[in-house]
Amino acid sequence: GENVEQHPSTLSVQEGDSAVIKCTYSDSASNYFPWYKQELGKGPQLIIDIRSNVGEKKDQRIAVTLNKTAKHFSLHITETQPEDSAVYFCAAGSYNTNAGKSTFGDGTTLTVKP
Amino acid sequence: NAGVTQTPKFQVLKTGQSMTLQCAQDMNHNSMYWYRQDPGMGLRLIYYSASEGTTDKGEVPNGYNVSRLNKREFSLRLESAAPSQTSVYFCASHFGREYTGELFFGEGSRLTVL
């Protein structure tokens, strides 16, 4: 089955700096890569996703890049703000299988220091 | 629009007791899921229901049972709780036909088994 590794497990940055979280996956059949943000005491919430036919996608201060050859994808957050502090999860899945069967990474705890 | 609602939010059980976690969604989604989240780990799929009337095992089904009561409701039952089942449980839903995007999560149920 799919195996997703996520690094780093914790990340601390100063407000205004950039943050990068990286994930690798093992199954070349995976073609959908979402990122979820989980705030304390809440359930995860989708913040951005990318499909395998796209190399990069941006949404305001966040962007995701995908390298299918190397089987890795990354989340980039620019101009970080204290409200970006949360746990971020990557996941890898497939169009053709049930969405909720995606494999999740172990999460990255991002702390943005004011 | 409540989204995905889980009850209870907190529960303490003694080893061997049974309980049911309830989940309901009001988005007319076809697919529903139960995950567990342990410290430092990602979300692991326990059971899912791709559509009303069907249920299937996920990655970690042992010790659990589920019921898809109707399109809205999907419950998770622990028949004889064990300390290893201490975790935070998340219910999620998805539109469920070909992949259309995000999973919607509830706020979680924190279970402690003594």
Side-chain angles (χ1 to χ4, degrees):
Chain A
E2 176 66 275
N3 181 49
V4 175
E5 295 190 359
Q6 184 172 345
H7 299 281
S9 56
T10 60
L11 180 60
S12 182
V13 300
Q14 288 295 135
E15 183 176 0
D17 288 351
S18 295
V20 180
I21 303 169
K22 298 181 179 181
C23 288
T24 61
Y25 62 99
S26 61
D27 189 349
S28 56
S30 291
N31 55 19
Y32 180 76
F33 307 93
W35 287 88
Y36 287 84
K37 176 183 180 183
Q38 184 178 25
E39 297 177 343
L40 195 62
K42 302 283 188 181
Q45 188 169 14
L46 182 75
I47 55 171
I48 195 167
D49 56 14
I50 192 167
R51 304 193 176 196
S52 60
N53 58 346
V54 175
E56 182 176 3
K57 183 176 178 181
K58 290 183 179 180
D59 183 2
Q60 298 183 7
R61 295 187 297 108
I62 60 173
V64 57
T65 59
L66 171 66
N67 183 326
K68 288 195 309 182
T69 303
K71 295 196 185 72
H72 67 71
F73 56 111
S74 300
L75 177 71
H76 305 254
I77 306 174
T78 59
E79 301 173 20
T80 53
Q81 301 168 4
E83 53 264 38
D84 294 328
S85 295
V87 180
Y88 291 82
F89 292 98
C90 64
S94 170
Y95 289 113
N96 298 325
T97 59
N98 201 287
K101 293 177 68 177
S102 297
T103 300
F104 287 81
D106 287 346
T108 296
T109 300
L110 173 65
T111 302
V112 179
K113 298 178 181 177
Chain B
N1 192 347
V4 178
T5 303
Q6 291 181 231
T7 56
K9 287 186 166 38
F10 301 93
Q11 184 71 49
V12 179
L13 291 177
K14 294 181 180 179
T15 297
Q17 288 185 319
S18 62
M19 77 157 300
T20 299
L21 299 176
Q22 306 286 356
C23 176
Q25 53 89 11
D26 61 5
M27 295 171 283
N28 201 34
H29 284 174
N30 293 298
S31 300
M32 297 184 74
Y33 312 85
W34 277 105
Y35 299 88
R36 61 177 289 172
Q37 184 179 37
D38 299 299
M41 300 182 71
L43 295 154
R44 292 186 291 168
L45 184 63
I46 305 171
Y47 269 94
Y48 67 100
S49 172
S51 60
E52 187 179 357
T54 69
T55 60
D56 283 288
K57 295 178 180 179
E59 181 185 353
V60 289
N62 290 345
Y64 306 95
N65 284 302
V66 290
S67 295
R68 183 73 182 266
L69 304 170
N70 48 55
K71 191 171 185 179
R72 290 186 62 247
E73 299 173 288
F74 188 40
S75 63
L76 178 72
R77 182 160 178 84
L78 287 70
E79 291 292 351
S80 179
S84 60
Q85 294 179 304
T86 293
S87 188
V88 181
Y89 291 85
F90 287 97
C91 177
S93 70
H94 179 262
F95 184 69
R97 300 212 181 106
E98 64 181 59
Y99 204 104
T100 57
E102 68 184 292
L103 291 165
F104 290 83
F105 287 87
E107 295 203 332
S109 298
R110 184 176 295 274
L111 175 65
T112 302
V113 183
L114 303 175

